[in-house]
Amino acid sequence: MLRSVSILRLGEAMDEEIALNRRAHIRFKLQTPFFVELSLYQVQGKELRSHSQRVLLRDISLGGCSFATHLRLPIRNDVEWQVVLQLGHYTAKPGFIVLHCGHEDGLLIYGGRWVMTGLERQAFQYRFHEYMRLALVASPSIHRLYKKVMDRRDDRGFERLDVTS
C-alpha cells in the first residue's frame, strides 16, 4: 500500500512539473553577456524599418527568446521586430513578436516567439544546434543530454527538463 502511495505522489509531482513548464523547446539561459540588435520590421503587415538598438539576450530557444532593455516596446501580435544575432560565423535575422513583458533590476524583460518561414526555421534550427554544440564544448554531459533531447522530438518527454549553459 505504501508503495502505491509513493508512486501516486511521484505521478502527481510529475504532472505539476509538466504544468509549470509548458514550453515546446528547451530554453538555454545565457551565463555570459550576449547582445543582439533589435529593430522594428513591420506593423500590421506594412514594412517599416527603424534603427537598430542593442539589447541583452537572457535566454534563447528554437521557439523564441527573452531579452533585457530600457526600451518600451508594444506587446502586440501585429508588430514584428527583427533580431540580428551572431551564432558563431552565421548571422541569423529572424522575425520576432513580443508576447510578454516584466521588470527586473530596473530593466524591462521581454519575451516572445520567432516568426520564420519553414525554410528559414530549418536553416535557423541547423545553425542553432551547431552553435550550441560549439558553445557547450567544455560540457560533454550536456552534449549527450542535448543530443538525446533533440533526437526525442516527438515523445515530448523533454518538456520536464530545464537546461542551462
Side-chain angles (χ1 to χ4, degrees):
M1 185 73 172
L2 181 61
R3 183 175 177 193
S4 64
V5 171
S6 63
I7 291 173
L8 180 61
R9 287 186 184 151
L10 178 62
E12 289 171 0
M14 288 177 68
D15 289 343
E16 288 175 15
E17 189 176 335
I18 290 171
L20 293 175
N21 188 3
R22 300 181 319 249
R23 293 184 179 91
H25 303 283
I26 295 174
R27 178 177 291 191
F28 291 92
K29 293 184 181 182
L30 305 170
Q31 302 300 318
T32 57
F34 191 95
F35 289 94
V36 298
E37 298 289 324
L38 177 74
S39 60
L40 182 61
Y41 183 68
Q42 65 181 4
V43 177
Q44 296 179 344
K46 295 178 184 172
E47 204 169 301
L48 299 170
R49 299 292 178 142
S50 71
H51 293 287
S52 62
Q53 295 289 322
R54 285 180 56 172
V55 297
L56 179 63
L57 198 65
R58 293 171 37 104
D59 58 54
I60 187 169
S61 75
L62 287 174
C65 70
S66 72
F67 56 86
T69 183
H70 289 289
L71 299 173
R72 293 197 180 274
L73 305 177
I75 302 172
R76 295 174 32 185
N77 287 337
D78 62 344
V79 177
E80 186 177 328
W81 302 87
Q82 185 175 57
V83 177
V84 178
L85 62 138
Q86 195 70 35
L87 298 174
H89 297 293
Y90 175 72
T91 302
K93 297 180 181 181
F96 183 78
I97 292 181
V98 176
L99 298 176
H100 57 85
C101 178
H103 300 273
E104 188 176 302
D105 298 329
L107 293 172
L108 295 167
I109 309 298
Y110 294 98
R113 65 177 173 83
W114 303 125
V115 178
M116 295 183 246
T117 65
L119 187 57
E120 290 170 337
R121 184 168 301 282
Q122 186 177 12
F124 181 78
Q125 181 176 353
Y126 174 77
R127 299 296 183 174
F128 182 77
H129 289 322
E130 286 299 310
Y131 178 73
M132 292 314 295
R133 278 195 279 275
L134 291 173
L136 301 174
V137 168
S139 304
S141 59
I142 296 294
H143 275 285
R144 286 191 297 276
L145 176 63
Y146 186 66
K147 182 169 179 10
K148 184 185 282 187
V149 168
M150 296 324 305
D151 289 342
R152 295 174 40 193
R153 290 187 186 112
D154 294 329
D155 75 3
R156 299 178 54 97
F158 68 88
E159 291 177 353
R160 286 177 263 139
L161 301 174
D162 186 17
V163 179
T164 58
S165 61

